[in-house]
Amino acid sequence: MLVRKLQNCNEFTAGDGTLLRELLHPDKQSIDLRYSLAHAIVPVGQTSIAHALTTSEVYYILSGIGDMTIDGETQRVVPGDAVYIPPNARQHIHNCGEEPLVFVCIVDPAWRKEDETVFD
């Protein structure tokens, strides 16, 4: 049985500027898993850097309020919302609330640096 505790996962700044902790990744654990799972935080007033993945991605909002933009379309997201981000879609999320915006990211197939383009 594999149980990963969030507090035991190293936090780092991802290419899009979010604070990230990878929970599950098939390249980093001995697991038969197609996708990767990460915990992300966007601090109050900040916006992730626009980026695109060649893979599909899902954000599941845990806490906070944000404005999610995918290919120029923006929608408010709140806890309990699941956001599907199609492959190659230009995306970013802005924390417009008064607390950290916290969400889970699922990337399928699993995230790889070479699958991501970060826009300046």
Side-chain angles (χ1 to χ4, degrees):
M1 176 184 305
L2 172 66
V3 176
R4 300 268 296 157
K5 298 205 178 289
L6 181 64
Q7 66 268 22
N8 294 337
C9 298
N10 292 331
E11 184 175 82
F12 62 94
T13 302
D16 69 353
T18 59
L19 300 174
L20 209 65
R21 291 177 190 249
E22 276 189 329
L23 291 160
L24 297 173
H25 195 292
D27 293 344
K28 297 180 179 164
Q29 287 100 25
S30 227
I31 52 176
D32 185 19
L33 194 64
R34 190 182 138 83
Y35 59 88
S36 58
L37 175 69
H39 180 272
I41 299 173
V42 177
V44 174
Q46 293 193 18
T47 304
S48 66
I49 299 168
H51 62 288
L53 298 175
T54 60
T55 57
S56 64
E57 187 171 19
V58 171
Y59 286 2
Y60 181 74
I61 310 301
L62 298 172
S63 62
I65 300 171
D67 287 330
M68 181 78 217
T69 302
I70 301 172
D71 284 339
E73 180 183 348
T74 301
Q75 188 168 326
R76 178 71 38 99
V77 293
V78 297
D81 287 350
V83 181
Y84 170 71
I85 305 162
N88 302 306
R90 186 177 178 129
Q91 58 160 303
H92 66 273
I93 192 165
H94 172 71
N95 181 342
C96 57
E98 298 179 6
E99 64 180 282
L101 177 60
V102 181
F103 53 98
V104 172
C105 305
I106 301 167
V107 179
D108 183 35
W111 183 89
R112 297 180 317 156
K113 184 176 180 65
E114 57 267 26
D115 293 337
E116 182 173 37
T117 301
V118 177
F119 303 100
D120 292 326

